[in-house]
Amino acid sequence: MKKPRVVFPYTEAGFGHIMPMNSIADKFEEMYGDKTECIRSQFFTENGDKKLAKLEDRFKKDVVASSKSTLYGHIQTMSMDFFKTRLSIWGAMTFTAMGSKKSGIRHMDELKPDLVVSTHFSTNYYAVNCKSKPLTAVYFPDIIVNPMYMYPCDLVLVASDMGYERALKRNKRRFNKQNLAHVPFLIRKEAFEVKESKTELRRKLGFDENKFTVMLAEGGYGLGKMEKICEIILKRDLPVTLIAVCGKNKKLYEKFKGLKSKGHTDFRPVGLSDNMFELLACSDIFCGKSGASMAAEPCFFGVPHIITKYSSGIERDNGNYYIKNVGSAMKIFKPAKVADKIEEFMKNPEKLKPYSDSAKNRRAEYGAEESAKRIFELLKTRFPELGED
């Protein structure tokens, strides 16, 4: 029997689309790799098409622009809401990189997919419009389903209870309980492999076991208020371990390596890291914006979150959810006030307990197994011979 081809096309438009793809591809291959052919596709770069590569580069630049300018990010969000789904996606796929639409559709056909699993609207667009007419599934990691993810698709997986209920209620023509599913957040499998306590992790990482530990990160590109917050804490010489994850921002990382502590602050700048989860799990508090993963991952580890910026309306909705619905986060946008709050929590760590407890209560809402099962059930509608999962 020919194995159905399940394609997982990667899109770099911020790391928030790459990490969940790793999670679902790993789990699906683990559970159903014997029954299917799993294809991990670096979709925009693997065939050397310059138009496709340019489009992905534009996606990345849009994320950077939103991180640098809140106004830019909010205008993007408002534009999606104004022009709605079909016009917004048609414009984005037609004019963002001229000629890339045909290239993308052609390349999707070249992959000969039977089912395409997307974490970005662009690859779902190509899958829906290619000649192969594969089954389509999309995972949406943010809280409120935005118009770009309401494009036709056989199955939309939503990672929040509030987003699921709202989409069913407000978009009855588009969604029903057959094509929309509420699933746990697709955190990477490495998160579940972190078993050590905070003390054990700090010892392992070479940190002071008893020192209040603060982690800061601003997405994969390291753009936000982290630089200013670190400078203030270093100037005040707070007795904390200060972990600053710069991601791909090499310029900031090099600058941070040149900053010196006055003596009490243990400053630990980090570039691209392969142990992000250990750094996060050993921390007492996390500071950063409220992208999908940036908000969900601290919650998984029971780490309270100071939200320092909303880059877009999407991140505003994410932040409001973790502040009001979950109770694991707080919003402070002024760097000096962030430093004030860190100092307050350092002196009174018991004040963090309600935030930490609220986060820990959500631990069961993570993992890729349910999403993998849902996708396999979708695949069986065309390939019933696959049998039970």
Side-chain angles (χ1 to χ4, degrees):
M1 182 181 74
K2 172 187 173 292
K3 290 183 178 182
R5 287 171 63 89
V6 181
V7 175
F8 299 89
Y10 283 77
T11 307
E12 185 177 346
F15 282 22
H17 298 281
I18 295 174
M19 301 309 176
M21 184 63 86
N22 283 336
S23 176
I24 187 57
D26 286 345
K27 180 58 69 173
F28 190 89
E29 191 165 20
E30 173 192 323
M31 294 175 68
Y32 306 114
D34 60 330
K35 298 181 178 182
T36 63
E37 184 180 1
C38 297
I39 310 297
R40 303 190 192 212
S41 166
Q42 299 301 322
F43 188 84
F44 293 90
T45 56
E46 63 194 1
N47 70 344
D49 190 298
K50 293 182 179 179
K51 293 174 183 177
L52 277 179
K54 182 179 179 181
L55 178 60
E56 187 176 48
D57 190 55
R58 285 294 305 274
F59 288 151
K60 288 185 278 188
K61 287 179 178 178
D62 276 348
V63 174
V64 170
S66 296
S67 297
K68 289 182 176 179
S69 170
T70 301
L71 178 61
Y72 183 88
H74 282 280
I75 287 174
Q76 274 196 324
T77 304
M78 288 187 291
S79 296
M80 289 189 300
D81 292 335
F82 179 79
F83 290 110
K84 306 301 181 185
T85 298
R86 288 188 178 271
L87 192 56
S88 294
I89 289 187
W90 174 80
M93 303 308 294
T94 302
F95 299 112
T96 302
M98 298 297 290
S100 62
K101 182 167 70 174
K102 289 184 178 179
S103 295
I105 293 172
R106 181 171 58 248
H107 183 44
M108 187 61 76
D109 274 320
E110 290 169 351
L111 293 171
K112 299 178 180 178
D114 292 301
L115 187 154
V116 177
V117 181
S118 297
T119 58
H120 191 264
F121 67 85
S122 61
T123 51
N124 178 63
Y125 176 86
Y126 296 137
V128 170
N129 289 282
C130 73
K131 294 178 181 178
S132 304
K133 297 302 175 188
L135 294 164
T136 53
V138 170
Y139 170 74
F140 183 75
D142 292 296
I143 300 303
I144 304 299
V145 182
N146 71 57
M148 304 301 272
Y149 290 83
M150 295 181 189
Y151 196 74
C153 179
D154 295 305
L155 178 65
V156 177
L157 305 167
V158 182
S160 88
D161 48 0
M162 189 173 81
Y164 174 75
E165 296 296 340
R166 179 167 168 170
L168 281 179
K169 183 177 180 180
R170 299 190 180 185
N171 303 277
K172 293 181 180 179
R173 291 185 178 181
R174 170 63 184 90
F175 294 124
N176 55 57
K177 292 185 178 181
Q178 284 68 52
N179 63 22
L180 185 73
H182 175 216
V183 296
F185 188 89
L186 291 184
I187 199 165
R188 285 175 290 153
K189 63 180 180 180
E190 289 83 0
F192 294 96
E193 295 168 0
V194 179
K195 305 291 187 182
E196 301 95 330
S197 67
K198 288 185 187 296
T199 299
E200 291 168 336
L201 284 169
R202 289 173 188 175
R203 188 183 303 127
K204 176 181 178 180
L205 295 166
F207 301 158
D208 188 322
E209 297 173 17
N210 301 308
K211 211 164 199 172
F212 192 83
T213 302
V214 182
M215 178 175 167
L216 302 96
E218 297 285 357
Y221 305 117
L223 296 167
K225 299 181 180 179
M226 176 170 57
E227 180 178 358
K228 186 64 176 177
I229 294 168
C230 287
E231 289 174 346
I232 292 170
I233 291 174
L234 285 166
K235 185 177 180 180
R236 295 185 187 181
D237 198 25
L238 296 183
V240 300
T241 299
L242 188 63
I243 307 165
V245 181
C246 303
K248 286 191 171 185
N249 192 336
K250 294 180 180 179
K251 183 177 179 181
L252 181 61
Y253 178 56
E254 291 302 320
K255 178 179 179 178
F256 275 173
K257 286 199 299 183
L259 296 181
K260 302 298 181 184
S261 168
K262 292 180 180 180
H264 291 105
T265 304
D266 183 7
F267 187 43
R268 302 291 186 117
V270 178
L272 276 173
S273 173
D274 59 1
N275 68 336
M276 278 286 290
F277 290 141
E278 289 185 337
L279 295 172
L280 187 51
C282 85
S283 300
D284 292 297
I285 196 163
F286 173 78
C287 303
K289 63 176 190 168
S290 54
S293 294
M294 285 282 95
E297 289 171 357
C299 187
F300 176 83
F301 288 106
V303 177
H305 182 181
I306 297 178
I307 298 169
T308 57
K309 182 180 180 179
Y310 296 152
S311 295
S312 65
I314 295 170
E315 292 190 2
R316 179 197 61 225
D317 291 336
N318 292 347
N320 285 336
Y321 178 76
Y322 283 94
I323 293 168
K324 298 176 182 179
N325 293 62
V326 179
S328 63
M330 66 203 83
K331 178 183 72 174
I332 307 175
F333 286 175
K334 292 185 178 180
K337 291 190 177 296
V338 173
D340 290 343
K341 184 58 71 171
I342 289 170
E343 186 170 9
E344 178 187 342
F345 285 137
M346 177 197 72
K347 293 177 179 177
N348 305 279
E350 70 279 0
K351 290 185 177 182
L352 281 172
K353 191 174 187 303
Y355 298 97
S356 180
D357 287 346
S358 295
K360 289 175 182 176
N361 287 337
R362 298 289 179 131
R363 182 68 182 255
E365 299 177 14
Y366 291 80
E369 184 172 346
E370 180 64 23
S371 291
K373 288 181 178 179
R374 294 275 189 161
I375 292 168
F376 188 71
E377 288 300 314
L378 173 63
L379 187 61
K380 281 166 49 178
T381 62
R382 190 169 291 181
F383 297 90
E385 65 272 18
L386 291 172
E388 297 300 320
D389 61 358

